[in-house]
Amino acid sequence: MSSPKEPSINGGVNSEQPSNSTHEQSEPPLSKNKLKKLIRDRKWEEGREKRKELRKIKAKERKERKRATRHSDAFLEPTADKRKASVEAEVDEVKKPKHPNSVQLPVAFVIDCAFDDLMRDGERTSLASQVTRSYSDNHKAPFRSHLFISSFGGNLKQRFDTVLSAHHHNWKDVKFSESDFESAASQAAEVMKTDCGGQLSGAFRKYRTNKEAEAMSTSGEVVYLTSDSPETLTELRPYSTYIIGGIVDKNRHKGICYKSAMDRGVKTAKLPIGDYMKMTSRFVLATNHVVEIMLRWLEVGDWGRAFIEVIPQRKGGILKDGIAVLEEPSGTTTQDAEVDDGPPGQDQGEEDTCLEKDADEVSMKSPPREGLKSKEEPQP
């Protein structure tokens, strides 16, 4: 005869409970797509060393083929055309420097990477490529800016440290920071006040004769570039900092960069693309394209030329009627600058950023010439 069950403290009857629940402790099963991705990534990582060895073998074979070709050509009498081409190539190689001089200007670009949790894995991969390309373009530009990467952390930083082999630690003239873009802008302002802040050259050459040139070093502004802004950026100004939203989201999070800037009380503006270009489709800019456009402007001082040379032709963009571009750069040469060597970046594809605008939404006003211009301001 079984004994009666002992009552519980709160009046109930104790029931036998299993000490461990296997069902509660087990993780939810992964989807087929997730499993395939994990297997693919694992195989890719396992084959990393094999691919590295294969690249070395192919490089060695190419060198041997070139050596054999030069050896066989040495026994052949060169024709007059070949001798002339060889002499011209040697002369050009002597005249052309291996690396062009690069002039540091007193202006800063900040890539705001505070949106790591809003992106998918593939989108973070694209952003990492765009940051790499932005560094490369700035590093080898005739007139370069101070470059800052703010809010650098999370999965994006993990990718740089692992998959990209932490090569960013060897980058020159770039500052990575876990702080937000406001902190990076403050650092940039301090750097631009120092002797290494840069010189007024390129498109900034016109400020050399300005009596207020010294005062400009303390009056630089901070501008967050976003297509949702009612203001239009018409020129870059010395000792100013321009923030670019580092996000690839396929337009899922509309207005997030503008909201981020407004919450901090930071001035916003959009590039004057609609004032110069007509587009046949929805206009999308990658982060590195924005950086490259502004670097080109620092060299030539002309938005139309910068847009037409940087924006991919597949976008179908053409200059508006009546818009002329400068034939020659307005800036100075870089012969007096120091040679700045560094590894080139990787050319990567483009993705959505906070600087995107539909073709039917861009302003149709004439190109402004100075300062920031509001949409509501009447046209002359």
Side-chain angles (χ1 to χ4, degrees):
M1 189 173 177
S2 61
S3 60
K5 293 182 179 179
E6 183 180 349
S8 64
I9 297 176
N10 54 6
V13 177
N14 290 334
S15 59
E16 296 181 356
Q17 296 289 343
S19 59
N20 294 320
S21 176
T22 306
H23 178 72
E24 291 179 358
Q25 294 180 354
S26 62
E27 297 180 356
L30 298 175
S31 63
K32 291 183 178 180
N33 290 335
K34 188 65 176 179
L35 286 173
K36 289 180 180 179
K37 184 178 183 303
L38 291 175
I39 295 173
R40 184 174 63 250
D41 293 344
R42 186 172 65 251
K43 289 182 178 180
W44 176 263
E45 291 298 327
E46 292 175 352
R48 181 179 297 275
E49 293 299 326
K50 184 177 181 180
R51 292 193 301 273
K52 185 177 180 180
E53 292 297 328
L54 185 60
R55 287 194 297 269
K56 290 182 178 179
I57 294 174
K58 289 184 177 180
K60 185 177 180 180
E61 291 177 350
R62 285 195 298 269
K63 290 181 179 180
E64 291 178 352
R65 287 197 298 269
K66 289 182 179 180
R67 189 181 300 110
T69 302
R70 289 194 300 267
H71 183 71
S72 60
D73 292 342
F75 294 96
L76 299 177
E77 183 178 355
T79 62
D81 292 338
K82 286 186 177 181
R83 287 194 297 268
K84 181 179 179 181
S86 178
V87 172
E88 291 178 351
E90 291 178 0
V91 172
D92 291 341
E93 188 171 348
V94 172
K95 290 183 178 180
K96 185 178 179 181
K98 185 175 182 180
H99 296 283
N101 294 335
S102 179
V103 178
Q104 177 69 68
L105 300 186
V107 66
F109 299 159
V110 177
I111 300 180
D112 179 19
C113 301
F115 312 100
D116 185 76
D117 58 332
L118 300 179
M119 292 183 290
R120 302 176 179 131
D121 291 341
E123 294 167 343
R124 293 189 193 95
T125 301
S126 296
L127 179 60
S129 300
Q130 292 173 20
V131 171
T132 302
R133 180 60 185 268
S134 297
Y135 161 74
S136 174
D137 291 337
N138 185 67
H139 186 79
K140 63 188 179 183
F143 301 95
R144 69 180 186 275
S145 71
H146 297 279
L147 184 62
F148 289 78
I149 314 296
S150 66
S151 300
F152 186 66
N155 293 319
L156 180 65
K157 182 177 184 299
Q158 183 181 7
R159 177 173 179 79
F160 271 92
D161 290 336
T162 57
V163 178
L164 300 182
S165 304
H167 289 312
H168 63 288
H169 293 303
N170 299 324
W171 292 1
K172 300 178 181 179
D173 303 318
V174 60
K175 173 68 174 178
F176 288 86
S177 174
E178 296 182 0
S179 304
D180 60 11
F181 65 84
E182 284 186 306
S183 177
S186 299
Q187 296 179 42
E190 294 299 324
V191 170
M192 287 186 285
K193 294 178 183 178
T194 64
D195 295 337
C196 300
Q199 56 181 287
L200 295 174
S201 187
F204 291 163
R205 183 180 178 83
K206 61 182 180 181
Y207 295 105
R208 285 183 175 180
T209 59
N210 193 334
K211 296 181 180 180
E212 301 178 356
E214 295 183 0
M216 293 180 64
S217 61
T218 59
S219 61
E221 57 186 2
V222 179
V223 182
Y224 204 122
L225 299 178
T226 167
S227 64
D228 297 294
S229 175
E231 306 290 333
T232 300
L233 185 72
T234 57
E235 67 174 358
L236 304 181
R237 299 184 63 83
Y239 305 101
S240 295
T241 301
Y242 299 93
I243 304 164
I244 306 165
I247 180 173
V248 180
D249 64 342
K250 301 298 182 181
N251 208 26
R252 293 192 309 274
H253 306 284
K254 295 183 179 181
I256 188 170
C257 293
Y258 180 72
K259 183 178 183 301
S260 178
M262 295 303 294
D263 290 343
R264 307 289 186 90
V266 176
K267 181 184 293 187
T268 63
K270 61 186 175 184
L271 293 179
I273 302 173
D275 297 334
Y276 291 85
M277 303 287 292
K278 291 192 296 186
M279 308 301 297
T280 58
S281 61
R282 188 172 69 90
F283 194 85
V284 180
L285 286 180
T287 301
N288 58 285
H289 286 154
V290 180
V291 172
E292 188 177 359
I293 285 172
M294 293 195 293
L295 289 172
R296 194 72 180 109
W297 188 92
L298 291 174
E299 181 181 356
V300 302
D302 178 41
W303 287 117
R305 182 169 179 176
F307 292 146
I308 205 67
E309 291 182 2
V310 175
I311 295 175
Q313 294 183 359
R314 61 180 177 274
K315 296 296 182 182
I318 59 174
L319 287 173
K320 287 186 175 181
D321 296 337
I323 301 296
V325 298
L326 298 177
E327 293 298 331
E328 296 295 336
S330 62
T332 59
T333 62
T334 61
Q335 295 178 356
D336 56 344
E338 297 181 357
V339 176
D340 193 0
D341 297 336
Q346 300 174 356
D347 190 0
Q348 300 292 342
E350 66 195 48
E351 298 291 345
D352 298 0
T353 70
C354 288
L355 285 161
E356 56 181 40
K357 198 71 175 176
D358 290 346
D360 55 354
E361 293 178 358
V362 295
S363 171
M364 299 299 291
K365 59 188 178 183
S366 59
R369 293 302 174 195
E370 53 184 47
L372 291 175
K373 193 173 195 178
S374 174
K375 285 199 303 187
E376 290 76 19
E377 183 177 345
Q379 300 299 315

